[in-house]
Amino acid sequence: MKRFSENILGLIGIFASVALGIAAAMQILMLGPRIFPLIQNPLALVVGVSVQLLAGANDDNVLQLAYWLYLMLHALAVGLFAFAFWRRTSDAVKRPAGNAGAMLALQMLIGLCVQSELLNVVAAELGYVLLRRNAVKWLVAQVLAFFVLRMLSFLDVGIWFQPLDLVADAIDIGVSMVWMVVAFGVGYLAASEKRGRIERGLAHAEILATQQMLMDSLRASERLRISRNVHDAIGHHLTALNLHLELGLRQLENKGSAQVNTGAHLPATELATERATESFRISRALAQGLLAEIRSVVSVERDDQSICLRQALDILCSGIPVPRIALSYDETLDLVDPMLAHAIFRGVQEAVTNAVKHARADAVDVTLLRQHDGVSVTVSDNGTGVRKLAEGNGLAGMRDRVEALRGSLELKNGVSGGFRVQLWLPIPGGAA
């Protein structure tokens, strides 16, 4: 159901083409076989000539055969037109470049040879699916082909058109071409709205992912600050306390030894000295234990500074409606260097943004893998690829960040089409 709701223009095009086809078929059925010689399109001409050549006569039976054959071919052509329109406007369907052009040419041929009203639907599709320059070229070719076919009635070449009133026919041709341009504009506006919606979704996903990265960085900085304060303040005081307890304990032990050596007999003093010595020992043990525990906590807080890069990338990828983005993240990859995590995140963000805006891709794959002492990042799409790579500000910034961390960046077309961005960045210390 979601697939249909995301292609409203496709549903409208199917409805329009089927409705136009049914209306034309109903009109032909109501008028009966006698209307067939008056049908003025190339399909009727081909059917009439073919049936006459095969039958070898021009009687009522031949007219009936041509009439019903034309109706069946008309219905088949309209159905094929609607199917091709849905395939061309659906983002969920993979369309190789050659097949896409052939399907578009087939739709235009059906509109020219079967039912000219379908050319308005084709014009809307041109503005919606193709880039502006290519769309205008196709539209001009369609309008010229339509104009040439209709001008045959003016020239009275006797192929299939009957002489008509020139003024009425000229007005009809002009109105038809105007409606093609209007339909093209509607399709172009729909494409602009779609691009805006995708760009807004991309920007929203980037904001959420960047916010997640910032929160992780702030948490890591705060934990590091707290660990330093604990170490510098409480650790310092406990160390001083431990030293004083150690000094007091040694003084008591030295005093007790001196009394024993002089032969003095002070039972009460000896008892107090033994009790004080025992208290000092217990206090020293507690201070040493507390100091060791604080040092352990500080060490854990310093070491546990991992950045939740996966969550940020999940937010980025899942927040983009079109194209489909699949994220594969190595479970053994645990990054602790904020600079490394930032470079990876920005690299993936730039590659995904380019795929969404320029590649015209249906699917994007993002893969992060741990490789020995580094991390490999691959972003590949199944879009149009590039003929000549020109690095803009985004790719140049990506390369600068990667090279600053002594990594490598590779940009190239994929083996089976599309574009591929490959990053490799070393992990500091070889640990993750």
Side-chain angles (χ1 to χ4, degrees), residues 77-331:
V78 172
L80 186 60
F81 180 94
F83 173 76
F85 185 87
W86 171 260
R87 296 276 298 184
R88 288 281 298 164
T89 56
S90 176
D91 291 310
V93 178
K94 179 72 178 84
R95 299 180 299 272
N99 293 348
M103 292 173 67
L104 183 57
L106 176 63
Q107 289 177 266
M108 193 173 295
L109 184 64
I110 292 174
L112 291 170
C113 299
V114 179
Q115 191 169 352
S116 61
E117 290 85 356
L118 295 176
L119 292 176
N120 295 328
V121 182
V122 177
E125 178 186 343
L126 293 175
Y128 183 76
V129 175
L130 299 181
L131 297 176
R132 182 172 56 186
R133 180 177 300 178
N134 292 334
V136 171
K137 291 180 180 178
W138 277 88
L139 179 65
V140 171
Q142 173 178 297
V143 172
L144 288 177
F146 172 78
F147 180 77
V148 170
L149 287 177
R150 293 300 299 266
M151 282 296 294
L152 292 176
S153 63
F154 284 8
L155 300 177
D156 191 22
V157 295
I159 297 180
W160 61 83
F161 290 115
Q162 302 295 325
L164 300 175
D165 180 71
L166 296 181
V167 176
D169 203 22
I171 294 174
D172 182 60
I173 292 174
V175 170
S176 298
M177 291 191 295
V178 168
W179 277 114
M180 289 183 202
V181 176
V182 171
F184 176 82
V186 172
Y188 186 79
L189 289 176
S192 299
E193 188 279 331
K194 176 186 175 183
R195 285 192 296 268
R197 176 166 49 86
I198 293 175
E199 290 178 0
R200 289 192 299 271
L202 175 61
H204 181 65
E206 289 178 347
I207 290 173
L208 292 179
T210 303
Q211 184 182 38
Q212 178 63 38
M213 289 286 293
L214 180 60
M215 291 175 60
D216 286 342
S217 299
L218 289 176
R219 281 196 295 265
S221 299
E222 186 65 15
R223 295 176 71 176
L224 183 60
R225 184 187 67 82
I226 293 174
S227 66
R228 285 174 177 172
N229 290 339
V230 170
H231 180 270
D232 296 340
I234 301 177
H236 171 74
H237 287 85
L238 285 176
T239 300
L241 175 62
N242 187 54
L243 290 175
H244 283 288
L245 289 174
E246 183 73 24
L247 180 61
L249 181 60
R250 288 183 180 179
Q251 288 177 349
L252 286 176
E253 290 176 346
N254 291 336
K255 182 179 179 181
S257 299
Q259 289 178 351
V260 173
N261 293 334
T262 57
H265 298 285
L266 299 174
T269 303
E270 291 179 359
L271 181 59
T273 299
E274 290 180 359
R275 290 177 178 176
T277 301
E278 184 64 23
S279 296
F280 271 114
R281 287 174 178 168
I282 294 174
S283 299
R284 183 186 64 178
L286 291 174
Q288 289 176 342
L290 182 58
L291 181 60
E293 185 174 350
I294 288 178
R295 285 175 175 172
S296 175
V297 171
V298 170
S299 178
V300 170
E301 290 298 319
R302 286 180 179 271
D303 294 338
D304 189 14
Q305 300 294 329
S306 61
I307 305 297
C308 192
L309 178 62
R310 178 170 187 168
Q311 185 175 358
L313 293 178
D314 274 331
I315 294 174
L316 175 65
C317 296
S318 61
I320 300 175
V322 177
R324 177 189 59 81
I325 302 178
L327 174 64
S328 177
Y329 196 96
D330 194 339
E331 297 294 340

